[in-house]
Amino acid sequence: APAKTVSRAEFITMVVRQFFPAFEDDWSAETPRWWEPYADVALASGLLENVWFTTAYDNGAWDGAMMNEPIDRYAMAQILYNALALSGAPLPDAAAQEAALQEIQEVREGTDFSWDHEEAVASMYALGYLRGVNPEGRFDGLASMDRASACTVFSRIAADAPGKIALPDIPPQAAAGEAALADGSAFTEDNIRRLICGLREEYPEGRRYTNDD
């Protein structure tokens, strides 16, 4: 039904399918939770940057209940903005974003707008992908996204044929009940080497240690 809400898991799957042509759909056959491989790609690629429900991922596992809740419109706009940025699509400059903000009813009236997602929402308005839920341009960021709205936004984006995003390197994850490394990946020699190399890059030899580390 068009009015049915879209879950976080479903929306992430839609974005990954549109922007990651190298993704293998049959990966979902490896897990009873079909959306997990898509969520892993989204997290590893940066699609979920500045999206609060990344807290659903902890120690290599996703919180299924949290991921199956409806996605709000702020998160929708942020994820699509991240996808466009990662794909190399041209994005509005500061002047265009500022002009677009004035199209948003909440901004004009000074009510109920999350400035944490200002750039994402303004860019989506400036590009014409979002136009509000009423003639006055109300964004209604905390409202749940429904199927009809999701299809409309994806159709507008697809019409501009944005570039695709390279599939990120996702280390093999530990199976349920098996020992896992700090990032949830399987306890293998390659994964241990990868984590050590990452620590060396973050803390190069000769770097001074501080209380912030």
Side-chain angles (χ1 to χ4, degrees):
K4 183 178 179 181
T5 57
V6 178
S7 72
R8 294 163 182 156
E10 290 170 335
F11 188 79
I12 287 172
T13 298
M14 294 166 70
V15 176
V16 170
R17 284 178 170 170
Q18 177 150 340
F19 284 90
F20 292 83
F23 182 76
E24 296 289 344
D25 284 344
D26 61 1
W27 287 4
S28 59
E30 299 176 7
T31 172
R33 301 201 296 183
W34 57 267
W35 50 267
E36 279 192 316
Y38 301 92
D40 289 341
V41 169
L43 184 65
S45 66
L47 275 184
L48 303 184
E49 186 72 27
N50 199 32
V51 176
W52 75 268
F53 63 77
T54 50
T55 54
Y57 185 82
D58 182 49
N59 197 29
W62 290 95
D63 182 328
M66 187 180 291
M67 291 299 289
N68 282 304
E69 291 178 1
I71 190 167
D72 63 73
R73 289 170 55 81
Y74 282 124
M76 170 273 297
Q78 186 67 60
I79 292 172
L80 287 175
Y81 173 80
N82 292 343
L84 291 169
L86 289 168
S87 73
L91 296 173
D93 59 20
Q97 290 179 32
E98 184 61 32
L101 283 173
Q102 299 310 309
E103 300 177 19
I104 301 172
Q105 183 179 15
E106 292 94 327
V107 174
R108 293 196 309 273
E109 298 177 354
T111 60
D112 302 325
F113 184 76
S114 172
W115 295 99
D116 291 340
H117 303 287
E118 171 188 358
E119 185 174 1
V121 176
S123 295
M124 295 297 287
Y125 267 73
L127 290 166
Y129 299 148
L130 292 178
R131 297 171 186 168
V133 298
N134 64 9
E136 289 73 36
R138 179 171 177 78
F139 179 57
D140 204 12
L142 294 178
S144 299
M145 191 75 172
D146 61 39
R147 289 182 176 181
S149 298
C151 288
T152 298
V153 174
F154 276 101
S155 295
R156 290 171 182 163
I157 292 175
D160 284 345
K164 303 303 181 182
I165 307 171
L167 198 64
D169 181 24
I170 303 175
Q173 299 295 293
E178 291 185 353
L181 297 174
D183 64 349
S185 59
F187 208 99
T188 67
E189 183 176 341
D190 286 342
N191 282 340
I192 293 172
R193 185 182 299 110
R194 175 181 53 79
L195 290 178
I196 292 174
C197 289
L199 288 171
R200 285 175 175 167
E201 290 179 4
E202 187 173 358
Y203 304 104
E205 186 175 355
R207 179 181 184 275
R208 295 183 62 184
Y209 176 85
T210 72
N211 289 335
D212 294 330
D213 294 328

